[in-house]
Amino acid sequence: MVSQFSSDAAAALDREVELEAERGSFAEDISSYYELSRCSEWIKLGRFTKVALQFPDHLLTHSVQIATTLSQQNNQCKIYVLGDTSYGSCCVDEVAAEHIGADGIIHFGHACLTATKRIPVLYIFGREVIDPEKCISAFKELFSDQLSHILVMYDVRYSHVIESLCEALRNDYTNLTVTSLNIPTLCCGCHQTGRSCTEDCGDCVSSDMQENDTSHGKDSITPSCQCGQSMDSKEQCKLGRCYTLSAPIEEYSIFYIGSEGRALSNIIINYHTCKCCSYNPSTNMYRKESTFINKTLGRRYYLMQKARAARTVGILAGTLATAGYREIIDRLKSLLSSVGKKYYVIVVGKLNVAKLANFMEMDVYVLVACPESSLIDNQEFYKPVVTPYEMELACSKSTEWGACYFTDYQELLPGGASHELLKDITKQDNDIPEFSFITGHMQSSNAATIESTVEGQIVKRSEQLQLTSYSTAAEYLQFRSWQGLEQQLGKTPVSKAVEGRSGTASGYTHEPDT
């Protein structure tokens, strides 16, 4: 018997196998694999006094050795290890770093490359091992037509070998395009390369720095502007990868180098109009990704329909550091209010089934997180979890489910490829009903015309034009069978602190010897 809030042995083993694939084949020299000399140079160049080292859980075994080495090489800097990230390990955990007052973060392992706003970051992906000959052989097996347009994407851990790997293919494949990583920085990327911002990139230096600062110190690598890396006007950036295409994206096939996981799934669903093939260097297996996308898109369309029929929505803050998260939450609040849906903003940290089960009054959740953390396996949860893009589709009649799909909420904000003014989204006749595939009945896309009464209750005009009364959230909580932990303030007698048990579980000191 397996409860809803536990995992069976098979699932635990599956997760362990996945972690083993993520760990990869480390070189014996950790200093070389993690580029510790580059880390030390970055710390010295920035004159940092407190640096936080962020590791995913499966890399924490190397954290002690890395922290010790960096502490010995940088006596003036205190090194801290972030053992458990607040949200997804692929994102930079600025919240945890700010708890210790860190002025710099070194992020180890896989990264989603979403932009941060407050603290300088150095990304160390790890120099993963790959067999170039087997990779090239797999590529030629998958793509026999040498004139076809091919876009090469890869896991960030293989970025150190991609250029030399693709150079061997360019002679035969003339329409080969290799993506480059769009590493987010607080300036132009000088602290990633070790260059001096004041000497090499005057465009990124603020006027105060140009007049008063000619040093290589911390201020020179964290200017006030956040322009990012300069790009050609034809260059496109999506999911942390930049590329320049010579033909429409629909004519391209994608070749992905890396293991199966969230990064690959995210690329497949965002580029679902393209044929996608993958090669796993750790197993030397390659395949065509075809059935996955059809099943996933069908599932996402069903969830979007659930969101359209929802009356009460929970906005889950799945990040407190990614750039633009406040803006997208405000946009969702305005959008939901305009179509008559009630909403609550919830901050729960890392999501799990037990946490969200505490809010059974919600009909659907919309998760604000990085692109790789947005696609949740909703079958585990009691209520659906959708992305901001899917919620926007659910609230709009003018926008249809089409060829484009976005997991990055930045695309919905001003300047994004799918940005649309809220007045245009909600400019519709909400009295015209439409058929719901979920309920099997005709309903208005506007959940209700909501007004607040004197008694503090919610009153709406239903589809039958009858007034229906809905209690507030506080009254709903009052009649729930379980209301959470009760503090019992003022009811618990105050007592002095006493010494507790000591010793080990096999024999505490207060227990008699046997």
Side-chain angles (χ1 to χ4, degrees):
M1 183 84 179
V2 180
S3 69
Q4 182 66 30
F5 304 114
S6 64
S7 300
D8 56 15
L13 290 175
D14 290 340
R15 287 195 299 269
E16 184 64 23
V17 171
E18 183 178 353
L19 287 179
E20 288 292 341
E22 291 179 2
R23 291 189 184 104
S25 53
F26 291 105
E28 293 182 359
D29 186 5
I30 290 183
S31 297
S32 175
Y33 184 89
Y34 290 113
E35 305 176 80
L36 296 189
S37 59
R38 180 183 168 209
C39 296
S40 294
E41 183 64 24
W42 182 77
I43 294 174
K44 294 175 182 177
L45 181 65
R47 297 181 181 177
F48 297 113
T49 57
K50 290 183 180 180
V51 171
L53 309 182
Q54 180 180 339
F55 296 87
D57 293 342
H58 60 276
L59 294 182
L60 281 174
T61 53
H62 297 155
S63 62
V64 175
Q65 182 176 347
I66 294 174
T68 302
T69 302
L70 293 179
S71 296
Q72 294 173 350
Q73 296 175 354
N74 303 273
N75 296 327
Q76 81 289 354
C77 181
K78 292 184 178 181
I79 305 296
Y80 296 83
V81 175
L82 304 181
D84 187 21
T85 56
S86 302
Y87 297 95
S89 60
C90 61
C91 300
V92 176
D93 194 354
E94 287 186 329
V95 175
E98 287 179 336
H99 289 168
I100 59 172
D103 47 11
I105 303 175
I106 302 180
H107 183 282
F108 292 88
H110 176 73
C112 58
L113 301 179
T114 51
T116 55
K117 299 184 66 174
R118 299 187 291 271
I119 304 178
V121 181
L122 174 67
Y123 288 90
I124 300 296
F125 306 122
R127 304 172 66 86
E128 196 62 41
V129 177
I130 185 175
D131 189 332
E133 294 183 359
K134 292 183 178 180
C135 182
I136 293 174
S137 176
F139 183 91
K140 293 182 177 180
E141 285 285 337
L142 293 169
F143 303 99
S144 57
D145 185 6
Q146 297 183 352
L147 296 179
S148 59
H149 292 82
I150 304 171
L151 185 63
V152 178
M153 295 187 175
Y154 47 89
D155 189 304
V156 294
R157 298 178 297 171
Y158 300 100
S159 59
H160 63 289
V161 297
I162 291 300
E163 189 58 38
S164 60
L165 188 67
C166 293
E167 194 64 33
L169 293 170
R170 284 195 175 98
N171 293 333
D172 298 328
Y173 294 84
T174 56
N175 293 321
L176 184 69
T177 301
V178 183
T179 60
S180 60
L181 298 181
N182 183 29
I183 299 177
T185 64
L186 291 181
C187 59
C188 62
C190 298
H191 65 281
Q192 296 285 344
T193 61
R195 295 185 289 112
S196 169
C197 198
T198 55
E199 293 179 355
D200 297 328
C201 53
D203 293 338
C204 287
V205 183
S206 63
S207 58
D208 294 338
M209 288 178 55
Q210 290 177 346
E211 295 175 0
N212 304 324
D213 192 3
T214 57
S215 68
H216 296 264
K218 187 193 312 182
D219 292 337
S220 67
I221 63 173
T222 58
S224 58
C225 63
Q226 299 181 17
C227 64
Q229 298 178 352
S230 60
M231 298 184 302
D232 186 88
S233 58
K234 296 181 180 179
E235 190 173 15
Q236 304 179 36
C237 279
K238 189 175 182 180
L239 302 179
R241 290 157 176 83
C242 297
Y243 49 85
T244 302
L245 304 180
S246 57
I249 186 63
E250 293 78 12
E251 299 181 13
Y252 274 81
S253 298
I254 294 178
F255 180 66
Y256 178 82
I257 302 175
S259 59
E260 183 178 358
R262 288 185 177 182
L264 175 58
S265 301
N266 201 33
I267 288 175
I268 292 174
I269 195 170
N270 278 270
Y271 294 90
H272 64 272
T273 58
C274 303
K275 169 187 171 184
C276 185
C277 302
S278 64
Y279 169 73
N280 189 342
S282 60
T283 61
N284 292 318
M285 300 293 292
Y286 57 91
R287 66 181 183 182
K288 296 180 180 180
E289 306 286 347
S290 57
T291 58
F292 171 82
I293 183 60
N294 296 328
K295 181 179 179 180
T296 302
L297 285 177
R299 175 69 178 167
R300 304 311 303 186
Y301 181 77
Y302 168 77
L303 296 176
M304 189 268 289
Q305 294 293 333
K306 294 278 285 187
R308 177 167 292 179
R311 304 295 192 190
T312 306
V313 179
I315 303 176
L316 298 174
T319 176
L320 295 178
T322 304
Y325 82 93
R326 292 181 182 271
E327 289 79 0
I328 192 63
I329 290 179
D330 290 339
R331 180 179 175 87
L332 287 170
K333 290 163 64 176
S334 300
L335 177 64
L336 294 172
S337 297
S338 64
V339 296
K341 295 181 185 291
K342 293 188 295 181
Y343 65 83
Y344 299 88
V345 180
I346 306 171
V347 181
V348 294
K350 289 183 179 179
L351 299 184
N352 59 48
V353 177
K355 286 182 180 179
L356 297 191
N358 292 320
F359 307 99
M360 294 304 295
E361 56 268 39
M362 305 300 169
D363 297 322
V364 68
Y365 296 96
V366 53
L367 175 61
V368 175
C370 75
E372 293 188 12
S373 302
S374 296
L375 296 176
I376 301 295
D377 185 5
N378 295 272
Q379 296 179 3
E380 298 180 1
F381 294 91
Y382 286 104
K383 298 297 175 65
V385 182
V386 300
T387 66
Y389 176 69
E390 292 165 346
M391 179 55 69
E392 191 159 301
L393 286 177
C395 296
S396 173
K397 280 186 177 180
S398 59
T399 306
E400 297 181 355
W401 183 277
C404 297
Y405 188 93
F406 303 100
T407 55
D408 189 356
Y409 63 75
Q410 297 283 357
E411 303 289 351
L412 304 176
L413 298 176
S418 188
H419 173 66
E420 187 177 359
L421 296 178
L422 290 178
K423 64 180 181 180
D424 296 332
I425 296 177
T426 58
K427 186 179 180 181
Q428 54 196 8
D429 188 355
N430 294 306
D431 290 333
I432 300 178
E434 60 181 4
F435 182 77
S436 172
F437 293 96
I438 303 301
T439 62
H441 302 287
M442 301 296 290
Q443 68 177 29
S444 172
S445 61
N446 191 338
T449 302
I450 298 179
E451 299 177 355
S452 180
T453 66
V454 179
E455 293 79 14
Q457 292 184 325
I458 302 298
V459 177
K460 81 165 189 175
R461 185 184 66 182
S462 66
E463 289 79 1
Q464 292 77 25
L465 301 180
Q466 296 176 350
L467 289 179
T468 310
S469 177
Y470 282 84
S471 299
T472 60
E475 186 174 348
Y476 186 96
L477 177 64
Q478 181 180 356
F479 292 100
R480 287 179 58 173
S481 59
W482 185 78
Q483 302 178 2
L485 300 178
E486 298 182 4
Q487 298 182 359
Q488 299 292 337
L489 297 178
K491 299 180 181 180
T492 304
V494 179
S495 60
K496 294 183 178 180
V498 297
E499 183 178 355
R501 293 184 297 179
S502 61
T504 61
S506 60
Y508 291 103
T509 55
H510 70 281
E511 295 178 344
D513 296 333
T514 56

